Each structure stands twice: as structure tokens, then as C-alpha cells.
Amino acid sequence: MKSKEDQKPAIQVLERMFALLDLLASHQDPVSLKLISEQTGLHPSTAHRILNDLTVGRYVDRPEAGSYRLGMRLLELGNLVKARLDVRDAALGPMRELHKLTHQPVNLSVRQGDEIVYIERTYSERSGMQVVRAVGGRAPLHLTSVGKLFLAHDDPQRVRAYATRTGLAGHTRNSITDVNHLERELSKVLQYGTARDDEELELGVRCMAAGIFDDQSKLVAGLSISAPADRLEEAWLERLKATASQISSALGHRA
């Protein structure tokens, strides 16, 4: 059986694209099309076509005609992956301690476009609540406590644009489906630094969330406790905030 290193993409153009990116990664300075062609074995016109498409996607930059280097989009994606890995590593221990206190699911989520994505969860069968949103699951921003944190940190124009794109579709009778109502809710989130989901995503389930910030004071994730609607305790809120702050500190954030 071939190792992963020996495997090749099934689509030839992807194989060529990977070869071009690897070549550019091996050079600190911009590389000429002539040298790229020589070192990859690709015809100059073929390399030029693929590099042009990569330039459109910002995966490759063209500082001057006929020369190429890796683009900023790769840096953005790399930082995104790094942030998520760091957040998960920093969060898991504190999440387990918070779960021991609440005996309810504790969730770590990040934003991806118009949704949040659950990237880690600690829970036990004793919570008495069916775990519906598994790791890798997604949910709309405006229907979740963590999603509201991210929307609250957007400027008003972006919030309005989100409302227009999504139509603020609801899942339950408690869902916020009016942009004015949503804006009032987000004002409270900014005021208190925490957010709630009052059976807005799923009937019978309530959540509370606090933000996790990196060394640049950027909101990078949200920590939430979800519980049956009649079991969510207000006393957990301060511990939730302290746990989120602990994780933020591990990422270099200074309040």
C-alpha cells in the first residue's frame, strides 16, 4: 500500500498546482516563470495558466511581470488553522473542569462564514440531554449563543448584510427572525460580554456563552454551556466567563 507521501492527486491539474506551490515555498524570493518551468518540468504556458488562476485566488502573488511568490491567502489560512489548533489545545483542560462543575455539555465553537462550527465538546451521558450538535456540526450565527458573540463584534453594516443574506430563518418559535430585535439582542451581548440562546436553535435547550480572545484581542472562539431549559443555572455564568478568560490568557490575551 502506498504511503500518503507517495500518493498523487487523481486530478492532474491539482498535482501540477501542488508542485508549483511547493516550488514557490522552497524559494525565499520571487521566482521567474522560466525557472519555475525548468524546475517543475511544466511547459511555460501551462505553468503560466495555473499561476494566473492561483493569483486570482490570492494563493500566489505576482510582484512584477514574469515572477511569482506565495500569496497572502496561504498566510491567512495558515493562521486560521493555527488559531483553531491553539484554541482547542488551550481549551480542553479548562472545558473538562467546567464540565465537572456543571455536568452539562461544554462546547467550543468558531465562526466560519455565516455559521458557527463546533470544534470540541465535553459531555457525559449523565447530562440528561441528547447531544445533537456533535463536533463538526454547524448552526446559524443568530440562533446560537456563540454566534451572537461573533455578530456582536461585527459592525452594524455587516450585521445587516448577514440578515439580508440569511433571511434570519428561524428554527423554533423563540428564534430571532427580525433584524431590529437581533440588533437589540447584540447590544445586550456587548454590554454584558456574554450571550444566550433561549431555546432559539432547539426547543428544550438553552445555552450561555462567553468569548475567547487571542493575543491581538480578536474574538477567535466561543465557550458555551448547553443544558435542558429547566436545568441551566445562572450561577454557572461567572465560572463560564472565568474559564473563557483562562483560555484567552493561554492564547496570550491580556484584558
Side-chain angles (χ1 to χ4, degrees):
M1 180 180 293
K2 290 184 177 181
S3 67
K4 289 185 178 180
E5 290 76 10
D6 294 332
Q7 293 175 354
K8 292 185 177 181
I11 302 173
Q12 186 183 54
V13 70
L14 291 180
E15 180 182 356
R16 292 173 172 178
M17 180 186 73
F18 296 153
L20 290 169
L21 292 175
D22 286 341
L23 174 64
L24 295 179
S26 68
H27 290 265
Q28 184 173 353
D29 298 320
V31 186
S32 69
L33 180 61
K34 182 175 183 293
L35 184 59
I36 291 172
S37 176
E38 291 174 353
Q39 295 193 1
T40 62
L42 294 175
H43 191 278
S45 63
T46 301
H48 182 260
R49 275 198 314 273
I50 299 173
L51 289 166
N52 273 353
D53 286 345
L54 289 170
T55 300
V56 171
R58 296 173 51 238
Y59 294 95
V60 168
D61 285 339
R62 186 166 45 212
E64 58 186 25
S67 67
Y68 301 86
R69 65 186 177 194
L70 294 181
M72 293 300 294
R73 182 59 178 156
L74 291 171
L75 177 63
E76 294 168 1
L77 293 175
N79 285 338
L80 184 61
V81 171
K82 178 179 180 294
R84 289 178 183 173
L85 291 174
D86 288 348
V87 168
R88 184 185 284 110
D89 291 344
L92 195 52
M95 287 174 67
R96 287 172 175 159
E97 291 302 312
L98 184 59
H99 173 67
K100 288 179 184 177
L101 172 71
T102 65
H103 302 294
Q104 300 297 332
V106 177
N107 317 289
L108 182 67
S109 311
V110 297
R111 180 175 185 171
Q112 192 170 89
D114 291 340
E115 299 175 310
I116 64 161
V117 180
Y118 297 86
I119 63 171
E120 193 55 80
R121 163 165 283 182
T122 57
Y123 69 96
S124 66
E125 298 300 328
R126 291 187 300 166
S127 68
M129 188 180 75
Q130 181 183 5
V131 179
V132 177
R133 304 282 162 176
V135 171
R138 298 168 177 268
L141 295 175
H142 67 289
L143 300 183
T144 62
S145 54
V146 171
K148 290 176 186 176
L149 290 173
F150 280 100
L151 286 174
H153 283 78
D154 273 347
D155 60 53
Q157 293 79 11
R158 292 188 56 151
V159 172
R160 289 266 171 172
Y162 167 83
T164 300
R165 281 195 308 275
T166 63
L168 296 182
H171 282 199
T172 76
R173 60 177 178 269
N174 289 358
S175 299
I176 296 176
T177 57
D178 174 75
V179 67
N180 293 318
H181 184 183
L182 178 62
E183 289 174 334
R184 290 193 298 271
E185 179 83 358
L186 298 181
S187 293
K188 294 179 183 177
V189 172
L190 283 179
Q191 179 181 355
Y192 296 107
T194 56
R196 311 291 185 112
D197 161 14
D198 185 18
E199 300 184 72
E200 296 161 51
L201 182 64
E202 301 172 36
L203 287 176
V205 178
R206 295 170 60 210
C207 301
M208 54 176 62
I212 296 172
F213 299 85
D214 66 8
D215 59 339
Q216 302 298 313
S217 296
K218 178 183 177 182
L219 178 66
V220 293
L223 188 70
S224 64
I225 301 171
S226 52
D230 59 350
R231 295 192 198 174
L232 191 72
E233 298 183 16
E234 290 302 313
W236 295 339
L237 186 60
E238 288 305 314
R239 184 62 180 269
L240 173 66
K241 291 167 63 176
T243 302
S245 179
Q246 177 186 355
I247 298 168
S248 297
S249 295
L251 298 177
H253 179 254
R254 297 292 177 264

